[in-house]
């Protein structure tokens, strides 16, 4: 069941004519509310970088290719289809020699990115664990998602609107007025109204973010997703 939390937002009664540009010319209440929930993902993605250095770039390239083959073999063993393993962005660079050091051969750096899509999270640990002990791998990132995202977001929006109406009804009752219909609804800030009323905008993010620069041990952990869907509503007062 989705959990909902009412945001501490702007609750405003303005019985004014349209003296300020963009404001409604009738008495209204502006309320904010947020529906929130958490859910376990059913999709996961691992990004990692293969790197190798050598004075002979061909040697470094062979190391990168060998490690890419090791990753493919490990994913096959874990039951991850090879179509979900992408090796990309092969880059070659060289290290600038230290002017104060003794002359030495130029070292070439070869790097390649690997993205692994794990569509069955029961295979996550089997897919992730072999990567942790492989040499030449760094830059681990993981991100999770759910195939139910659209449904969750729609339910949260409906929940947030119900909370907003309850808040508006309570305010109207306290003012000795009756709540009229909703004249404007936004999933997020009503930015022009918010600025016109001198209120700071809110930033909300209901999507998961990559876990960058993470410890290798954390790669094995499947992270729960947190969702938040804010709404702003303008109700007319009777």
């Amino acid at each position: 069941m989705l959990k909902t939390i009412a945001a501490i937002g702007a609750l405003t009664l303005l019985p004014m004519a349209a003296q300020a540009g963009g404001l409604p010319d009738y008495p209204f209440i502006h309320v904010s509310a947020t529906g929130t929930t958490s859910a376990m993902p059913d999709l996961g993605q691992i990004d990692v970088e293969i790197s190798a250095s050598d004075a002979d770039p061909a040697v470094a390239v062979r190391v990168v290719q060998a490690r890419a083959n090791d990753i493919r073999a490990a994913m096959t063993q874990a039951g991850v289809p090879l179509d979900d393993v992408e090796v990309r962005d092969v880059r070659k660079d060289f290290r600038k020699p230290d002017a104060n050091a003794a002359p030495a051969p130029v070292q070439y750096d070869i790097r390649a990115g690997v993205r692994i899509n794990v569509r069955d999270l029961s295979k996550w640990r089997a897919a992730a664990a072999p990567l942790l002990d492989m040499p030449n791998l760094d830059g681990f990132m993981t991100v999770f998602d759910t195939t139910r995202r659209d449904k969750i977001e729609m339910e949260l929006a409906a929940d947030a609107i119900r909370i907003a109406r309850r808040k508006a009804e309570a305010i109207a009752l306290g003012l000795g007025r009756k709540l009229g219909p909703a004249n404007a609804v936004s999933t997020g800030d009503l930015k022009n109204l918010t600025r016109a009323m001198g209120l700071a905008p809110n930033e909300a993010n209901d999507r998961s973010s990559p876990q960058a620069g993470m410890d290798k041990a954390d790669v094995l952990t499947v992270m729960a997703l947190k969702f938040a869907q804010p709404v702003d509503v303008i109700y007319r007062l009777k």
Side-chain angles (χ1 to χ4, degrees), residues 32 116 201 208 216 218:
S32 299
I116 303 164
S208 60
K216 282 189 175 182
D218 293 336

Side-chain angles (χ1 to χ4, degrees), residues 1 6 50 71 88 92 101 122 201 224:
M1 182 177 180
I50 309 172
I71 292 173
R88 56 186 186 171
K92 181 173 75 172
S122 68

Side-chain angles (χ1 to χ4, degrees), residues 54-68:
D54 199 274
D56 183 349
V59 172
V61 167
R62 285 196 293 271
V63 172
V64 169
Q65 290 173 340
R67 204 61 61 237

Side-chain angles (χ1 to χ4, degrees), residues 103-188:
V106 174
Q107 290 289 312
Y108 289 89
D109 292 332
I110 305 297
R111 293 181 174 272
V114 180
R115 172 163 293 176
I116 303 164
N117 291 307
V118 183
R119 304 179 192 278
D120 178 358
L121 287 190
S122 68
K123 301 174 181 177
W124 180 263
R125 180 171 287 269
L131 303 177
L132 304 185
D133 296 326
M134 285 188 190
N136 307 105
L137 300 189
D138 57 21
F140 284 84
M141 293 194 305
T142 63
V143 64
F144 299 98
D145 205 348
T146 173
T147 54
R148 297 180 58 248
R149 176 178 288 278
D150 289 345
K151 182 175 186 293
I152 290 172
E153 290 176 344
M154 286 189 294
E155 291 174 349
L156 287 179
D159 245 9
I161 289 171
R162 284 192 290 269
I163 296 169
R165 182 164 188 87
R166 289 198 297 269
K167 292 170 67 176
E169 287 172 342
I171 295 167
L173 181 64
L175 295 169
R177 303 287 291 270
K178 291 186 177 180
L179 194 66
N183 275 30
V185 180
S186 169
T187 53

